[in-house]
Amino acid sequence: METKLQELKNRLIEINDLESAAALLHWDQSTYMPPGGAEARARQLATLGRIAHEKFVDPAIGKLLDELRPYEESLPYESDEASLIRVTRREYERAVNVPPSFVARFYEHTARTYEVWARARPANDFPAVRPYLEKTLDLSRELAEFFPGYEHIADPLIDYSDYGMKASFIRELFAELRQRLVPLVQAITAQPPADDSCLRQHFPEAQQLAFGREVIARFGYDFNRGREDKTHHPFTTKFSIDDVRITTRVKEHLFGDALFSTMHEAGHAMYEQNIRKEFEGTPLGGGTSSGVHESQSRLWENIVGRSWGFWSFFYPRLQEVFPQQLGAVEMDTFYRAINKVERSLIRTDADEVTYNLHVMLRFDFESQMLEGNLAIGDLPEAWHERFRTDIGIVPPDDRDGVLQDVHWYAGRIGGSFQGYTLGNIMNAQFYAAALRDHPQIPEEIARGEFGTLFGWLKEHIWQHGSKFTTSELVERITGGPISIEPYMDYLRRKYGKLYALPVNDAHPADSGHR
Ligand code: ZN
């Protein structure tokens, strides 16, 4: 059986080599490739993707998985071997369920839709993309139908990014969160907004980049096994566990955008850099879900990177880097500026408190569209209406409304957004668990030390790669299911100090300022 397992592993690693080559081509395309390279690059990526897919759905892999079943069943669930067979089978069955002709049709359609959207968004022209989006919805439902026996039609689509999470569970969790967040946003935005003019000065690019790199090197991002380059839409990519790269972009007239995005991507990258080497090149060798991945990026970006403790160490250093811009700005003013809460139109620019409202309305719309309860033609109006009730403003147009996110225009409808909010919810649960084990973590952060937190995340989350599903990981760490309480505690405690809120249950662990 060991020989058969080795044979399976060898095949998987070969496929992963092709996928890593494609990832490198994609990284190059998004960073340094001259525009002229686009046409050939699209073809090269399609070729590599097709060969990798063909190799994975090869019946020989199915036969190996069948032969390995008794061996898998003889091993403990958590063993590396059983986990490798289990997770590979899950991905294999998903891949063979979808006919290649459908995959080709789907990619062709989404490529065309993306082109139309890229022109329609600046022109505020929803009618131009409407027929394309209708076809996307049809194809998304067709895709779900390849996985019969689902409870909700979104479930098989959610499985692609957050395996095992059911729409019914997410809907209930989000409804609970929304009920608590809407009044919080109202209470905060009823007060005078924070003054963030100190961030809106000229901050030269070179110093911004250097400062960001200094911060993430201290977090523990390993520059010997990674690097940072510039791009339009920041992302993290991986060619092996020892080569995980991040990208960023710099706005010279807005401090924070580049730094927080760098911390965010470093959170994703540290997860990937610290998966056990034994999993390299196999389906276990990547982060387990989009939700857990976002929990890591947002933990470093928000819970750590926007905390008072973090800045009590780094703000004097930042003032040294930008003496003219920040030398006379009090830390309290700066802290309020980087944590400003406001009603805003764009999800990706939203603050910690309002962000999830942006995600939840998208998740609900996806479900309703898939169910047939919301027609594409009614989407812009539904968007405006939900914004009015949840966020308290109405987008002036569709450009900054239903046309703002690329997701539906470059992929399927279903399972595209829930990971962002699941990540926010889980990052508070994970951080609370880390604090229970190591109550000194906040004091360490205030000294610019991150080793204890890094080590805890590595031990409990990162090293496991995809061995455990999202729910299994949460259960192992917290002893229970995903819950919004630690997240609401975190928000109430932090924003209760920044704003006069009706309920301000300050917690001793977070004292030390104001
Ligand atoms: Zn992210």
Side-chain angles (χ1 to χ4, degrees):
M1 277 303 163
E2 279 80 2
T3 346
K4 292 218 183 293
L5 188 63
Q6 194 54 54
E7 193 192 330
L8 177 67
K9 238 173 145 173
N10 292 344
R11 282 174 177 269
L12 294 171
I13 289 170
E14 195 179 83
I15 294 161
N16 185 259
D17 286 343
L18 290 166
E19 290 164 346
S20 302
L24 179 56
L25 290 185
H26 180 260
W27 170 85
D28 172 70
Q29 181 176 30
S30 313
T31 49
Y32 298 107
M33 189 186 79
E39 200 184 319
R41 185 55 50 89
R43 190 190 63 239
Q44 292 153 357
L45 281 166
T47 302
L48 279 173
R50 180 176 48 76
I51 298 172
H53 180 77
E54 282 167 6
K55 282 182 171 290
F56 189 53
V57 298
D58 188 330
I61 291 200
K63 187 160 172 280
L64 280 169
L65 287 168
D66 282 344
E67 290 165 350
L68 284 163
R69 198 185 285 273
Y71 181 55
E72 177 194 356
E73 284 164 0
S74 75
L75 295 166
Y77 181 86
E78 295 190 3
S79 75
D80 289 353
E81 293 81 4
S83 301
L84 175 62
I85 301 165
R86 178 178 69 247
V87 175
T88 304
R89 178 178 296 110
R90 183 206 297 161
E91 293 195 359
Y92 177 78
E93 284 171 357
R94 184 190 294 150
V96 296
N97 264 348
V98 183
S101 61
F102 176 85
V103 176
R105 239 175 350 121
F106 189 79
Y107 281 131
E108 205 185 310
H109 170 70
T110 50
R112 215 172 323 135
T113 306
Y114 178 80
E115 294 295 317
V116 178
W117 170 77
R119 286 193 304 271
R121 189 185 175 206
N124 187 35
D125 189 0
F126 182 76
V129 289
R130 180 181 160 172
Y132 291 88
L133 206 53
E134 282 168 345
K135 178 88 185 289
T136 302
L137 181 57
D138 288 343
L139 289 170
S140 302
R141 294 160 108 160
E142 204 178 327
L143 177 60
E145 296 306 338
F146 293 123
F147 304 89
Y150 53 72
E151 182 189 299
H152 186 278
I153 186 169
D155 290 350
L157 307 177
I158 293 169
D159 271 349
Y160 275 95
S161 42
D162 291 284
Y163 178 79
M165 304 293 294
K166 297 260 177 292
S168 55
F169 173 79
I170 298 170
R171 194 183 310 121
E172 214 171 294
L173 190 76
F174 284 11
E176 206 187 328
L177 185 61
R178 179 183 176 211
Q179 214 175 19
R180 311 269 288 273
L181 280 178
V182 170
L184 185 64
V185 170
Q186 281 164 353
I188 292 175
T189 50
Q191 298 172 45
D195 173 9
D196 62 356
S197 56
C198 64
L199 307 178
R200 300 175 186 279
Q201 307 177 68
H202 184 243
F203 295 90
E205 176 174 308
Q207 284 96 313
Q208 284 204 52
L209 285 172
F211 185 79
R213 286 170 189 162
E214 182 186 328
V215 167
I216 62 171
R218 268 192 177 260
F219 281 173
Y221 174 72
D222 185 352
F223 275 98
N224 286 319
R225 300 157 58 229
R227 51 178 286 137
E228 183 187 56
D229 296 271
K230 279 172 54 188
T231 191
H232 291 296
H233 301 283
F235 62 97
T236 297
T237 189
K238 176 186 181 183
F239 314 131
S240 73
I241 290 169
D242 291 326
D243 189 352
V244 183
R245 303 189 189 184
I246 61 172
T247 54
T248 193
R249 65 167 172 219
V250 178
K251 293 181 183 167
E252 289 204 313
H253 292 278
L254 179 61
F255 181 80
D257 192 65
L259 176 64
F260 292 111
S261 131
T262 295
M263 293 185 196
H264 181 99
E265 298 307 327
H268 285 303
M270 289 188 288
Y271 187 1
E272 295 290 335
Q273 281 185 332
N274 290 286
I275 291 170
R276 277 173 49 208
K277 274 300 279 279
E278 296 92 312
F279 297 163
E280 178 91 277
T282 75
L284 299 183
T288 192
S289 65
S290 77
V292 175
H293 241 298
E294 281 302 308
S295 80
Q296 299 310 292
S297 54
R298 297 186 71 84
L299 191 154
W300 290 97
E301 176 193 353
N302 291 327
I303 294 188
V304 175
R306 290 183 206 267
S307 71
W308 180 266
F310 173 90
W311 285 106
S312 63
F313 178 82
F314 276 107
Y315 191 59
R317 172 81 193 104
L318 187 67
Q319 287 178 307
E320 272 171 37
V321 178
F322 297 112
Q324 278 171 350
Q325 297 88 334
L326 297 173
V329 177
E330 295 288 334
M331 172 157 152
D332 188 68
T333 307
F334 176 80
Y335 178 70
R336 286 172 177 275
I338 60 167
N339 285 297
K340 180 178 183 175
V341 176
E342 59 188 334
R343 306 178 196 271
S344 65
L345 295 173
I346 307 294
R347 174 184 62 87
T348 52
D349 297 340
D351 57 82
E352 273 186 289
V353 183
T354 59
Y355 184 88
N356 298 295
L357 297 172
H358 292 262
V359 174
M360 288 186 269
L361 68 90
R362 287 156 174 80
F363 175 79
D364 287 343
F365 287 157
E366 284 195 316
S367 298
Q368 291 163 12
M369 285 189 280
L370 288 165
E371 289 161 2
N373 291 325
L374 174 61
I376 299 287
D378 296 332
L379 190 56
E381 189 43 43
W383 190 283
H384 284 64
E385 198 37 55
R386 181 76 181 259
F387 245 76
R388 196 196 323 271
T389 51
D390 277 20
I391 303 183
I393 46 173
V394 179
D397 52 28
D398 293 329
R399 177 181 18 226
D400 289 339
V402 67
L403 288 172
Q404 70 178 263
D405 291 296
V406 66
H407 303 57
W408 294 336
Y409 307 100
R412 62 181 189 272
I413 292 175
S416 322
F417 289 101
Q418 74 287 331
Y420 297 114
T421 284
L422 291 174
N424 282 331
I425 295 171
M426 285 188 284
N427 81 356
Q429 280 187 281
F430 294 152
Y431 189 68
L435 287 192
R436 269 194 296 278
D437 289 352
H438 305 288
Q440 78 278 20
I441 285 175
E443 287 104 82
E444 290 182 359
I445 290 175
R447 291 198 302 268
E449 294 165 15
F450 305 95
T452 306
L453 179 59
F454 182 101
W456 188 93
L457 293 167
K458 180 174 176 173
E459 182 191 340
H460 294 276
I461 300 171
W462 300 342
Q463 62 152 333
H464 299 304
S466 290
K467 193 168 180 174
F468 302 111
T469 66
T470 305
S471 311
E472 286 168 355
L473 209 52
V474 173
E475 179 77 37
R476 283 169 61 90
I477 291 170
T478 68
I482 295 181
S483 148
I484 65 167
E485 294 309 328
Y487 183 58
M488 287 310 304
D489 276 355
Y490 161 75
L491 288 180
R492 275 202 312 266
R493 209 179 301 148
K494 177 169 177 179
Y495 291 92
K497 283 178 188 158
L498 283 166
Y499 297 90
L501 296 180
V503 192
N504 179 7
D505 45 0
H507 190 279
D510 196 37
S511 61
H513 92 277
R514 306 187 45 76

